[in-house]
Amino acid sequence: AMHSDVLSASPESDEDKARLVDEGKERGNLAFKAKRWEEADVLYSKAIDTAATHALFSNRAMVRINRKQYAAAVLDADECIKLDPQFAKGYYRKATALEKQRQYGPAYDAYTLCLGKTKKGKEHDKIKKQARDNRAAPPPRLPPPPARRPRV
């Protein structure tokens, strides 16, 4: 199977673990660039299971957003933020995944936290607009109540 060398490896030493994580991340990045989401997910997951880093959780969150697994992406973003609270992209991933689930209030909050960690410039302006769009977004529509059958 593809990547079986990486996926079946169980390194013992820290050095071997670091090597496996680098290899998994590298291949995950290549799969990501080729939009092979499932493959990227499996590779990042193996690297995370070996030695988790904030960047790996951020990358897997992005993969899961592309796979439309938004709740899982939020969990990964939260892990990323826990490991590095200063890493702006963690908040950005979280905001994106929340927005896709139409959770506009929480998305706005996450975009705002991201803004505070992003230096002024084009990127900052883009995120500011996304934050504004979420604050102005309509509240999620509730499904209509079930139609009542007239009593006969």
Side-chain angles (χ1 to χ4, degrees), residues 5-76:
D5 58 329
V6 166
L7 298 177
S8 66
S10 45
E12 297 294 319
S13 74
D14 288 349
E15 199 181 328
D16 288 346
K17 282 181 184 173
R19 202 174 299 125
L20 180 69
V21 167
D22 286 344
E23 186 64 27
K25 185 180 181 182
E26 201 55 43
R27 293 187 198 187
N29 292 348
L30 289 170
F32 184 92
K33 286 191 185 91
K35 295 184 165 47
R36 296 195 304 267
W37 308 126
E38 200 170 332
E39 187 184 332
D41 196 317
V42 168
L43 288 160
Y44 289 143
S45 295
K46 176 67 178 187
I48 284 168
D49 292 342
T50 306
T53 67
H54 72 279
L56 286 167
F57 277 116
S58 172
N59 291 6
R60 192 172 71 177
M62 191 65 216
V63 167
R64 290 178 171 184
I65 288 166
N66 280 290
R67 297 182 76 187
K68 298 181 170 41
Q69 298 173 348
Y70 303 124
V74 171
L75 293 175
D76 275 355

Side-chain angles (χ1 to χ4, degrees), residues 87-89 91-92 95 107-132:
F87 186 65
K89 239 182 228 171
Y91 301 93
Y92 191 80
Y108 171 77
D109 294 340
Y111 278 127
T112 304
L113 287 166
C114 178
L115 266 181
K117 296 172 182 9
T118 306
K119 34 181 201 302
K120 296 267 190 280
K122 250 201 310 240
E123 190 69 8
H124 192 277
D125 296 341
K126 188 186 113 184
I127 297 165
K128 199 169 189 171
K129 185 191 176 317
Q130 288 172 292
R132 261 206 312 271

Side-chain angles (χ1 to χ4, degrees), residues 61 64-65 67-78 92-108 110-111 134 137-142:
R64 290 178 171 184
I65 288 166
R67 297 182 76 187
K68 298 181 170 41
Q69 298 173 348
Y70 303 124
V74 171
L75 293 175
D76 275 355
D78 279 333
Y92 191 80
R93 302 275 185 252
K94 182 173 185 171
T96 305
L98 288 165
E99 184 176 356
K100 294 280 190 192
Q101 296 179 91
R102 299 194 173 88
Q103 296 182 29
Y104 300 115
Y108 171 77
Y111 278 127
N134 275 274
R141 276 210 303 270
L142 294 169

